[in-house]
Amino acid sequence: MNSTIKTKRRLEAEELFADPAFTSPTISPDGTLIAYLAPAHGRRNIWVRGIDEEHEDARCITHDARRGISTYFFTEDPPWLLYLQDTDGNEDWHLYRVDLHSPDAPAVDLTPMPPGSRVFAAEMLRSRPGCVLATMNRRPAFLDTYLIDVSTGESTLHHEQSEPAQNLLLDGNGEAAFLARVTEDGDTEFSAIDPVTGELRELILISGADHPMGVEIQQSTPDGTGLVLGSYLDGDDLQLVRIERESAEVSVLAGVEGWNLDILSVLAPGVLPPTLFTDRRTGAILAARFTGPRPRIEIVDPEFAEVHAVLAELSDGVLGSLSSDVSGQRWVATFLSDRDPHVAWFHDRTTGESRRLFRPYPHLDPADLAPMEPVELTARDGLALHAFLTLPPGIPPQGLPLVLEVHGGPWVHDSWGYSPQAQFLASRGYAVLQVNFRGSSGYGRRHTRAGIGEFAGAMHEDLLDAVDWAIAQGIAEPERVGILGSSYGGYAALVGAAFTPERFAAAVDIVGIADLASFIRSLPPVSRPYLRSNWLTYVGDPEDPVQEEDMRARSPLTHVDRITTPLLIAHGANDARVPREESDTIVASLRERGVTAQYLLADDEGHGFANPENQIRLQQAIAEHFATHLG
């Protein structure tokens, strides 16, 4: 080893996958309190403290000991705080209320429902202080909106979905301004609703295949005069556009040539960095996030430019989460970074004061972590592939074992930032490569649509081409390549083991799909109207015998007899997206043939492992698996 290179220390699973000491801060509407998530009772719970206080002065106001909290928000008035919680990862989300003045009182379930129903969205109604709008499927196949009085818990049907695949877009007063209707072809038709007669007037039709996850940004302006969408218009870049309610005139609110609106937050609102930043008082859009080698914030409201400029000076990262008081004078922001993530800052526009609130991982020294570098390579058919490479700190990047980490979705994307998975592996001497293969979002319409019909085809070839690139660069050693992924990434890992076992010395499948046809058949009734734009278009319809045969041919379970790659498989028993039977079946088939297949099944998890003790157990198993088979 070159004597001038300093080897960094190895990072343990407990350091990277335990709950952060502090995370997800927001400021109260009146600017006097800060709420955030921190450990209590062995799980992430909500803490509240005064704006000038420290954590030692804070009060823990929730007491969940079964599962950590991820999403919460203040009410405007009276002083309640609301949060979402499910049971052991089953994604049956309920909305709970806690009283800031009685932190020891038990939380109140505002949305009691039978199993199988859940809250899909919840937000305060600005025109009705003390009321929240919640979208739920109390009727299993329908998404209805209810108005809930937070104080009394009284729930009133606000808007009933007349038929599946028709969604009302409400203005700031909670009135229906626009209708989004998914057609039988999977396209989405947007219409203005006449406020007097209720008649519909079509404004625009957007291709479903362009938006496999649905049109990710679709909302009314607060005053109801405009429809805001994420749209490609006639180009290849996803932009933020406004369509006038009366004239149907289209204008671009935010667009950057060669960049695409970052829509990852749609997967986990309030958890992942937001696509749009909005004014707390008015609901107007302040700025938008775009995808690229490093995320980019585009200003929409010129008056926000000054605030953003001041906040940007606080960190060399990229703005992550953001909240303000109603006056827009006090702000709390976090920042994305690959080595010092989610550091929280407070800024007071009135006094000009800025101060750091906390680092979520105070025990981690950024100098011990590896930078995540954007790289670009070319697929065998000429398609540009954007990827991120994390190299082991302090080790020459030559002849390393490589782990190909494949994102889920597949209609999402990897982006620059902190990855505990990449850091964990890099600290053990592995190069980690994350590639946005065709079908991923974030890199243009053509890149996404190139995934149609390519499961286990060109989508897999893109992964192989990325490995070949790393080998050609001298970074990776061909005989020491592993593949790892969750959800679609788990499917990709199984495809790698089943279709090209000679390329991978080890594979890790976390909540992955083994049989495409059975997976699609298992999806819940509420999702069925929306399948045409994604699974049915990109993969196939299992009710069509010819398409089902093709899906079987692209399923790892069909080719299980070809698997020789040692496998580690993990699944949550309560997975609501990919049933555990997908993993049960392939593990049983492998064990019958004597193929190494370690299986971790967690009874208190769903689509992925969330509880820290389970995450740590999984990561320790991954480390042992790759150490055994990659060296």
Side-chain angles (χ1 to χ4, degrees):
M1 180 180 293
N2 189 328
S3 61
T4 64
I5 295 179
K6 180 183 177 182
T7 302
K8 307 293 183 177
R9 71 179 182 88
R10 190 173 79 169
L11 301 171
E12 300 303 328
E14 292 83 354
E15 297 179 84
L16 294 168
F17 294 95
D19 281 333
F22 313 92
T23 190
S24 306
T26 61
I27 193 167
S28 62
D30 64 4
T32 64
L33 300 173
I34 295 174
Y36 52 94
L37 302 177
H41 315 293
R43 294 289 183 261
R44 284 187 316 274
N45 274 278
I46 304 172
W47 295 69
V48 174
R49 74 192 200 208
I51 196 73
D52 295 317
E53 294 180 329
E54 300 298 327
H55 183 61
E56 293 72 20
D57 306 307
R59 296 169 297 153
C60 182
I61 64 169
T62 59
H63 309 281
D64 285 34
R66 188 167 178 172
R67 195 161 186 84
I69 295 169
S70 297
T71 305
Y72 74 93
F73 54 94
F74 281 101
T75 64
E76 305 300 323
D77 183 60
W80 308 106
L81 193 144
L82 307 180
Y83 70 95
L84 292 171
Q85 185 61 287
D86 71 348
T87 301
D88 293 338
N90 67 0
E91 299 190 50
D92 283 355
W93 300 103
H94 287 226
L95 184 67
Y96 291 86
R97 181 197 76 199
V98 290
D99 187 344
L100 298 182
H101 294 320
S102 302
D104 294 327
V108 175
D109 185 357
L110 296 175
T111 54
M113 291 178 286
S117 295
R118 66 186 68 168
V119 174
F120 284 80
E123 62 178 333
M124 298 305 299
L125 182 57
R126 292 181 181 85
S127 62
R128 296 278 297 275
C131 290
V132 62
L133 287 174
T135 300
M136 304 177 265
N137 67 326
R138 282 176 170 163
R139 298 185 297 160
F142 293 84
L143 296 175
D144 301 322
T145 302
Y146 291 81
L147 183 67
I148 302 173
D149 185 307
V150 177
S151 179
T152 66
E154 181 181 358
S155 177
T156 306
L157 182 63
H158 190 63
H159 285 292
E160 186 175 68
Q161 189 178 45
S162 57
E163 60 181 80
Q166 288 196 1
N167 301 303
L168 294 173
L169 306 181
L170 310 181
D171 63 20
N173 293 318
E175 298 302 322
F178 302 93
L179 178 74
R181 185 180 71 87
V182 178
T183 69
E184 292 184 0
D185 296 327
D187 301 330
T188 303
E189 176 187 273
F190 291 94
S191 301
I193 302 174
D194 188 286
V196 177
T197 66
E199 293 182 357
L200 301 178
R201 186 177 70 260
E202 184 177 341
L203 297 176
I204 191 172
L205 182 69
I206 293 184
S207 166
D210 290 350
H211 300 264
M213 301 297 287
V215 180
E216 299 85 359
I217 300 299
Q218 49 174 288
Q219 62 189 54
S220 171
T221 57
D223 62 6
T225 62
L227 172 65
V228 177
L229 300 173
S231 174
Y232 293 102
L233 297 180
D234 295 325
D236 193 52
D237 303 327
L238 188 63
Q239 305 176 82
L240 184 69
V241 306
R242 171 180 169 134
I243 303 176
E244 298 301 324
R245 180 175 183 168
E246 295 301 325
S247 66
E249 180 182 352
V250 179
S251 59
V252 176
L253 297 177
V256 184
E257 185 175 357
W259 293 64
N260 287 261
L261 201 63
D262 187 336
I263 48 79
L264 282 184
S265 66
V266 176
L267 299 179
V271 178
L272 296 175
T275 303
L276 304 179
F277 300 96
T278 57
D279 185 285
R280 184 170 205 155
R281 181 178 60 85
T282 67
I285 297 171
L286 302 176
R289 184 185 310 277
F290 284 77
T291 302
R294 179 181 166 109
R296 171 172 174 164
I297 307 300
E298 283 295 303
I299 304 300
V300 175
D301 185 341
E303 293 187 5
F304 179 66
E306 177 186 345
V307 175
H308 181 256
V310 173
L311 294 175
E313 290 294 321
L314 301 177
S315 170
D316 60 2
V318 178
L319 186 62
S321 64
L322 183 67
S323 66
S324 77
D325 62 3
V326 173
S327 72
Q329 295 303 304
R330 290 182 162 186
W331 298 79
V332 170
T334 65
F335 293 87
L336 306 181
S337 169
D338 53 350
R339 290 185 287 178
D340 196 13
H342 311 302
V343 176
W345 286 81
F346 168 76
H347 172 66
D348 191 325
R349 292 185 69 189
T350 302
T351 65
E353 174 199 8
S354 296
R355 69 176 187 273
R356 192 175 74 179
L357 295 173
F358 53 71
R359 294 180 63 235
Y361 308 96
H363 58 284
L364 291 179
D365 183 347
D368 289 331
L369 302 183
M372 178 183 283
E373 299 292 344
V375 296
E376 186 172 334
L377 50 123
T378 304
R380 63 190 66 184
D381 64 355
L383 183 70
L385 300 176
H386 300 268
F388 295 91
L389 178 66
T390 304
L391 294 171
I395 300 176
Q398 301 166 0
L400 298 171
L402 172 74
V403 175
L404 182 67
E405 183 184 350
V406 187
H407 67 67
W411 305 286
V412 295
H413 57 268
D414 281 317
S415 59
W416 179 86
Y418 175 67
S419 167
Q421 184 69 79
Q423 295 293 345
F424 182 67
L425 293 170
S427 80
R428 280 158 174 72
Y430 303 100
V432 181
L433 185 59
Q434 300 165 269
V435 60
N436 286 304
F437 48 86
R438 71 192 65 209
S440 303
S441 66
Y443 291 93
R445 184 206 313 248
R446 287 189 295 272
H447 189 86
T448 300
R449 292 183 66 107
I452 295 175
E454 295 299 341
F455 274 52
M459 292 168 73
H460 181 57
E461 291 173 349
D462 288 348
L463 301 179
L464 300 179
D465 292 345
V467 171
D468 288 340
W469 172 87
I471 294 170
Q473 297 292 313
I475 296 169
E477 187 175 326
E479 293 76 23
R480 294 199 293 162
V481 177
I483 185 170
L484 172 152
S486 299
S487 194
Y488 172 84
Y491 163 82
L494 292 175
V495 168
F499 287 70
T500 52
E502 72 284 356
R503 298 299 303 273
F504 298 104
V508 177
D509 155 34
I510 305 169
V511 298
I513 302 165
D515 184 329
L516 290 168
S518 70
F519 161 72
I520 292 175
R521 286 195 173 104
S522 73
L523 293 171
V526 72
S527 70
R528 298 199 181 279
Y530 308 98
L531 296 182
R532 173 55 60 189
S533 65
N534 44 71
W535 293 104
L536 300 187
T537 292
Y538 279 74
V539 184
D541 186 346
E543 303 312 314
D544 181 316
V546 175
Q547 293 185 44
E548 182 183 19
E549 183 178 355
D550 180 69
M551 295 166 72
R552 299 286 185 197
R554 298 175 187 272
S555 296
L557 186 62
T558 304
H559 306 278
V560 68
D561 59 333
R562 297 175 55 188
I563 294 178
T564 56
T565 304
L567 271 165
L568 168 62
I569 295 178
H571 218 113
N574 307 307
D575 195 334
R577 305 188 192 195
V578 180
R580 60 171 284 187
E581 287 75 18
E582 294 285 317
S583 290
D584 291 347
T585 302
I586 202 158
V587 167
S589 299
L590 289 169
R591 287 177 174 172
E592 285 177 5
R593 296 178 46 246
V595 177
T596 300
Q598 183 181 359
Y599 189 20
L600 299 181
L601 181 66
D603 291 334
D604 56 349
E605 296 287 4
H607 193 60
F609 286 15
N611 292 332
E613 64 274 16
N614 293 328
Q615 267 280 34
I616 291 166
R617 180 166 66 104
L618 172 61
Q619 294 301 322
Q620 290 170 339
I622 290 172
E624 181 180 351
H625 186 68
F626 283 145
T628 300
H629 301 292
L630 301 186

